[in-house]
Amino acid sequence: VATVELRIAPRPEHVRTARLVAASMARRAGVDDGLIDEVKIAIGEACARAVAIHQEHCPDQPVILRGTDGGRDSTGLPCFVLEIEDEGPSEQDVPRDEVGLVPVAYTIVDLTSFTEPESADGTSVPAGIGLAMIVGLVDDLVVRPAEGETGTLVSMTWPLFLADLDVESAETRS
Amino acid sequence: VDLSLSTRTEGDRTVVVVGGEIDVYTAPKLREQLIDLVSTGAYHLVVDMEGVEFLDSTGLGVLVGGLKRVRAHDGSLRLVCTQERILKIFRITGLTKVFPIHASVEEAVAAKD
């Protein structure tokens, strides 16, 4: 199990760094090439959301990105896991159903609430839009309160069973 | 890779050629460009996205903001995009219903409402 943890100061210029690190980790873990774009978009949205929340509530605290290739998805298959943890008030922009999961209906974007970022530096992501994009891209998504008193953990997984097949055939050759 | 922007005039349309990555860091530059154009009377915009390598929700917000601004002057904002990975972002957010999306600048410039 290989785990990488990245702490970034909550500034928009670091979101690209997080995307590149996440894409590199995903490639190395064996996520299919066709899914790397989705990894970049999803982690970019999750990270931009966390950065905006930190800038508002706790600008001195780093946003934490964690990646591991040793996860298991909801069906028990090996997967690559990316987590973004923020320290803001828990889930201020996340609607939840009765069991605490993000409802599927949330993927439908309400354009009447889609407003342009108003802050001078353009860092405020329209409420909910980033998460809506993640829901639209990632099959296996969990949004829950982080451990401790504050914060939200956004956890996303991508399948690795294709990589497993490659490993087996490589071992057969050697 | 940063964001590159250039503009040119074709008839009554202003073509904005965007390249690189539109994200939470670079999107404000695109927003300033669109605001500048509208403030100088360019109300019919064609945004050429063929050179865009990455687009996030902040970038979408800026494009929607640009659309609102030109519509306030009875203008238009058309997109040029054939890249599947960028089109997918417009689809999952429902914005394909909001923006006219064209396969080429020529097509977008010739298009009428």
Side-chain angles (χ1 to χ4, degrees), chain A residues 77-101:
Chain A
L77 290 166
C79 66
F80 171 64
V81 184
L82 275 179
E83 293 176 334
I84 285 273
E85 190 176 325
D86 70 65
E87 299 292 330
S90 281
E91 298 172 86
Q92 53 177 358
D93 60 349
V94 188
R96 293 154 65 92
D97 63 15
E98 61 277 9
V99 292
L101 296 175

Side-chain angles (χ1 to χ4, degrees), chain B residues 91-104:
Chain B
R91 272 201 299 273
I92 62 174
T93 51
L95 290 173
T96 45
K97 299 187 196 80
V98 175
F99 291 105
I101 300 179
H102 299 273
S104 69

Side-chain angles (χ1 to χ4, degrees), chain B:
Chain B
V1 183
D2 209 341
L3 182 74
S4 67
L5 292 168
S6 68
T7 61
R8 66 175 190 270
T9 305
E10 290 200 18
D12 64 341
R13 311 292 167 97
T14 301
V15 181
V16 183
V17 183
V18 189
E21 302 187 341
I22 311 176
D23 75 352
V24 65
Y25 178 56
T26 62
K29 289 183 202 165
L30 176 60
R31 181 174 46 166
E32 281 167 27
Q33 175 79 81
L34 296 179
I35 289 172
D36 283 352
L37 287 170
V38 173
S39 69
T40 57
Y43 303 140
H44 291 280
L45 306 179
V46 172
V47 180
D48 181 354
M49 312 271 294
E50 289 296 72
V52 172
E53 292 159 26
F54 185 85
L55 174 68
D56 77 358
S57 61
T58 323
L60 292 177
V62 167
L63 291 171
V64 171
L67 182 67
K68 286 179 177 171
R69 284 196 176 83
V70 294
R71 281 202 179 152
H73 298 277
D74 292 322
S76 62
L77 193 157
R78 297 172 180 281
L79 303 177
V80 176
C81 182
T82 60
Q83 299 187 76
E84 184 51 36
R85 60 178 174 173
I86 303 294
L87 289 172
K88 181 174 185 175
I89 295 166
F90 286 99
R91 272 201 299 273
I92 62 174
T93 51
L95 290 173
T96 45
K97 299 187 196 80
V98 175
F99 291 105
I101 300 179
H102 299 273
S104 69
V105 172
E106 293 70 30
E107 187 187 304
V109 167
K112 305 270 187 245
D113 286 327

Side-chain angles (χ1 to χ4, degrees), chain A residues 66-77:
Chain A
R66 216 174 283 118
T68 174
D69 60 6
R72 295 276 159 181
D73 68 13
S74 51
T75 57
L77 290 166

Side-chain angles (χ1 to χ4, degrees), chain A residues 133-149:
Chain A
M133 281 177 66
I134 298 171
V135 173
L137 285 169
V138 182
D139 293 335
D140 212 348
L141 168 74
V142 176
V143 182
R144 59 176 170 82
E147 286 172 21
E149 290 182 5

